[in-house]
Amino acid sequence: MNGQAAQRDGRSPAEDYASPVSVRAAGEADVDAAAVLFRGYLDFYEVDIEDPDAPRAFLAERIAKDESLVLLADVPEAGTVGFAQVYRGFSSLSLRTAWVLNDLYVAPAGRRTGAGRALLREVLRRAREAGVSGVQLETAYDNTVAQGLYEAEGFVREEFHVYFHDLG
């Protein structure tokens, strides 16, 4: 897939939006805060987790091994309300690095604050800085709020079918 975020008037999307949200990369000290949000994300998608410690362990391993980029969104007076997780990969079609924005979640207390938009824009900013060919993401068919955000930020719905074979 090769959808790309568009720039408007030569500006990056982050440059035309003022927000009180601050976004930072998560480190090992942030695993507990990130895990609470990750659990909220899994609950949102109705994923049954048998081991309640598994989401925290999963994130801790990704962060410790630098296997993903985890970003956290902080909102004044609300705290850490959102997270995004990006996996680095490659695009055979562009012969370059490509990123997959695998997870983006904002807790109910942080919604309508701009946290989701700030996370998305920070992913795109870092991707541009890293010389990435593009950022790919997926969302549920009925998650129209997220779809509206992605399209407003220049993501284009691809005409590819996504297939998955569950081995688990």
Side-chain angles (χ1 to χ4, degrees):
M1 297 192 191
N2 58 7
Q4 298 177 10
Q7 290 189 350
R8 295 179 291 264
D9 303 323
R11 296 176 296 171
S12 72
E15 294 171 337
D16 61 5
Y17 178 75
S19 171
V21 179
S22 63
V23 177
R24 60 191 166 87
E28 292 184 29
D30 298 304
V31 168
D32 288 333
V36 169
L37 293 163
F38 188 41
R39 184 57 199 243
Y41 171 81
L42 295 171
D43 289 345
F44 178 82
Y45 281 106
E46 299 176 354
V47 176
D48 291 325
I49 303 294
E50 292 180 24
D51 178 359
D53 296 326
R56 185 194 184 285
F58 181 86
L59 273 181
E61 186 174 3
R62 299 295 75 71
I63 291 170
K65 293 182 175 182
D66 194 30
E67 292 177 339
S68 69
L69 168 64
V70 176
L71 299 175
L72 298 174
D74 298 308
V75 173
E77 300 181 27
T80 304
V81 298
F83 94 107
Q85 182 164 216
V86 176
Y87 294 109
R88 300 163 191 98
F90 300 94
S91 168
S92 299
L93 299 179
S94 70
L95 305 176
R96 294 174 47 203
T97 303
W99 285 5
V100 176
L101 175 53
N102 207 71
D103 313 310
L104 191 147
Y105 175 77
V106 177
R111 294 185 185 153
R112 312 300 300 167
T113 64
R117 186 177 307 274
L119 284 162
L120 186 59
R121 288 181 173 183
E122 183 63 12
V123 167
L124 294 172
R125 185 193 72 74
R126 288 173 182 250
R128 279 188 199 93
E129 189 175 271
V132 170
S133 67
V135 176
Q136 177 183 333
L137 58 80
E138 298 174 11
T139 193
Y141 288 112
D142 63 351
N143 194 345
T144 57
V145 172
Q147 292 168 29
L149 171 63
Y150 301 145
E151 291 171 11
E153 291 302 314
F155 281 84
V156 177
R157 189 179 310 225
E158 292 286 339
E159 295 187 23
F160 290 89
H161 291 282
V162 176
Y163 293 89
F164 183 78
H165 190 289
D166 191 351
L167 301 174

